[in-house]
Amino acid sequence: MQPDDVPAGPAFDAWRIGSCEGAAALDRPTRDQLAWIAGYALLAPTTHNTVPQRFELREDDGALALWVAREAILPESDPVGRQATVSLGCVVENAAIAGAVLGFSAEIEPLSGTNAVRPRHDGEPDLVPVVAVRFRAGGERLAPGWLDAMRHRKMVRAEYDERVHVPPALLEELVATVGALYRGLTLHVLTDAPTRLFLGKFQELADTTVINRERFARELGDWLLPNDSDAGVGMRGREFGLSDRSTLRMHLGLRGEEELLPDETAGFAKAGNVGMRTASAVLVLTAAEDDFAHRLAAGRAYERVALRLVEAGFCAAMHAGITEVEAPNMALRGRLRTRQRPTVVFRVGRPLHAEDGQRPHASRPPLDTLLVGRD
Ligand SMILES: Cc1cc2nc3c(=O)[nH]c(=O)nc-3n(C[C@H](O)[C@H](O)[C@H](O)COP(=O)(O)O)c2cc1C
């Protein structure tokens, strides 16, 4: 069954992918299977919905290679490419999970471009190969329910219902999963009210800091699109709960084409604060090193945890401000009493107003526009 929060139109067709149940696993995937796996990988979240990944279907060695389009790495919000790398990690995880539903295990091989996941400078190539996901028959076959979770998952940026609790056994399972599967990462669980309040304030501070930087605001405005946009990338205001009119105001205002009232920018930052404060839990993935391998792993771990939460009836929203702006990042590190860097921060819960959980999915470009490479 397809989720009923998927709008009509080609920009949302990616979510209407089939489940292809019962397909037999040969020694390695066919080209059709690689394309199907890429279709699920496309449903993974990416920062600002920039969809920086490109897919190479390598039938000869049964691999899906991911390239990055550096034009899609945002210089203001992501100057060192951390957010793009975490995004690629989410893409890798969806691919690995879709492959495991078909009966393939996945091996991850870094390619030449791992140092190149950062904004493109003049004269540099745009497309670089970053990582290959190589599939072979064997390993633990995952249930098709994971496909449903990938099709249903979306960021739910609503106010949550703080009376809801995530079962402690589920939280323990998530911590154990991250510890077992992703080397150098730790999942921290924060549920107490004072910490959520503190994180909400820091999130608001981080968002206020960046939104008041003209170039950052302009970049955000470029990616925050009117609700009737038919673009395959970018975020629509309705995904943040904004009306058509407020979305247009924010889109034009952030781009400097209309004057925004102080209340309008403050409201945007405030929403993150309320979201954090009302979450059932705030989860933080910290990494032993701030390098490509750990950022990629953090994206993989986030996506696996987010899908497990969807399966259990919860939703999540990511907050990159705290991970990118240094002062709040240090404060969070202090609260967690860790030397590891907070690399992904997200809140978990259920929307206070059920209708907020029904906000439409984000768009995606057609898969065939993202294919690159030899085939
Ligand atoms: C690395 C990363 C960082 C993100 N940071 C934020 C953020 O700071 N605030 C926010 O509202 N959404 C954030 N998002 C969510 C994306 O905007 C969202 O995934 C994208 O628009 C696609 O929507 P979907 O996940 O609902 O499919 C982030 C996503 C990723 C992968």
Side-chain angles (χ1 to χ4, degrees):
M1 214 182 74
Q2 296 300 329
D4 55 12
D5 48 4
V6 176
F12 304 93
D13 277 348
W15 300 101
R16 287 181 266 271
I17 186 168
S19 41
C20 193
E21 282 166 51
L26 305 169
D27 172 46
R28 57 187 62 185
T30 62
R31 187 185 162 86
D32 280 353
Q33 286 175 322
L34 285 173
W36 179 84
I37 290 170
Y40 273 94
L42 179 56
L43 303 184
T46 62
T47 175
H48 288 55
N49 204 25
T50 45
V51 192
Q53 72 274 18
R54 299 293 179 267
F55 298 104
E56 182 188 359
L57 310 180
R58 293 195 336 203
E59 196 180 356
D60 51 348
D61 66 342
L64 180 68
L66 298 184
W67 295 49
V68 70
R70 293 197 288 182
E71 293 290 7
I73 304 179
L74 305 180
E76 298 304 322
S77 58
D78 193 18
V80 299
R82 187 183 295 110
Q83 298 304 310
T85 311
V86 171
S87 303
L88 290 174
C90 297
V91 175
V92 164
E93 197 65 7
N94 267 22
I97 289 172
V101 172
L102 293 182
F104 296 110
S105 63
E107 196 183 290
I108 313 300
E109 182 201 341
L111 302 174
S112 61
T114 53
N115 286 331
V117 185
R118 47 175 173 70
R120 192 179 80 86
H121 298 299
D122 284 348
E124 291 181 339
D126 180 29
L127 291 177
V128 272
V130 176
V131 69
V133 186
R134 186 166 296 126
F135 297 98
R136 290 293 175 269
E140 185 200 357
R141 191 187 266 267
L142 290 182
W146 285 89
L147 303 177
D148 295 330
M150 285 190 273
R151 284 197 307 259
H152 283 90
R153 186 217 57 81
K154 63 185 172 187
M155 294 290 161
V156 178
R157 302 180 179 92
E159 177 174 358
Y160 287 172
D161 183 348
E162 56 187 319
R163 294 164 303 183
V164 170
H165 295 285
V166 185
L170 176 57
L171 293 170
E172 280 163 27
E173 176 200 315
L174 298 175
V175 170
T177 301
V178 170
L181 295 186
Y182 309 97
R183 197 148 20 110
L185 295 189
T186 309
L187 180 68
H188 304 259
V189 176
L190 301 165
T191 53
D192 62 295
T195 302
R196 287 183 284 116
L197 205 68
F198 147 96
L199 286 174
K201 290 255 184 257
F202 273 98
Q203 176 57 43
E204 186 174 347
L205 175 71
D207 281 349
T208 308
T209 307
V210 289
I211 216 165
N212 284 312
R213 291 184 193 146
E214 194 188 319
R215 290 202 308 218
F216 180 99
R218 207 173 278 277
E219 182 181 272
L220 179 59
D222 286 343
W223 290 89
L224 183 69
L225 305 176
N227 285 339
D228 61 359
S229 164
D230 58 8
V233 293
M235 308 168 287
R236 284 148 188 78
R238 65 192 184 197
E239 295 153 25
F240 292 79
L242 297 179
S243 66
D244 294 352
R245 200 186 129 57
S246 304
T247 302
L248 207 55
R249 284 279 301 150
M250 290 302 288
H251 171 65
L252 296 172
L254 290 169
R255 285 156 54 105
E257 292 168 28
E258 272 183 15
E259 189 139 3
L260 282 181
L261 301 170
D263 271 5
E264 288 175 298
T265 43
F268 205 72
K270 186 97 193 152
N273 180 347
V274 173
M276 209 68 115
R277 204 173 61 209
T278 59
S280 305
V282 176
L283 305 191
V284 183
L285 282 159
T286 59
E289 302 287 335
D290 184 27
D291 58 11
F292 173 83
H294 288 81
R295 293 172 183 175
L296 191 84
R300 296 190 62 188
Y302 167 78
E303 183 64 355
R304 174 140 325 219
V305 167
L307 294 174
R308 179 68 183 92
L309 286 164
V310 168
E311 200 190 9
F314 291 94
C315 43
M318 214 190 260
H319 291 274
I322 292 192
T323 58
E324 288 302 314
V325 182
E326 239 17 66
N329 192 279
M330 291 298 286
L332 179 55
R333 208 177 296 195
R335 166 64 182 78
L336 297 173
R337 295 200 181 83
T338 179
R339 296 159 78 114
Q340 297 196 341
R341 182 187 176 93
T343 304
V344 178
V345 177
F346 57 110
R347 60 185 167 102
V348 175
R350 292 204 180 110
L352 179 61
H353 308 290
E355 62 273 21
D356 289 347
Q358 288 306 308
R359 288 179 194 162
H361 272 270
S363 63
R364 295 291 189 274
L367 180 62
D368 57 11
T369 63
L370 302 177
L371 296 180
V372 295
R374 337 170 224 179
D375 282 337

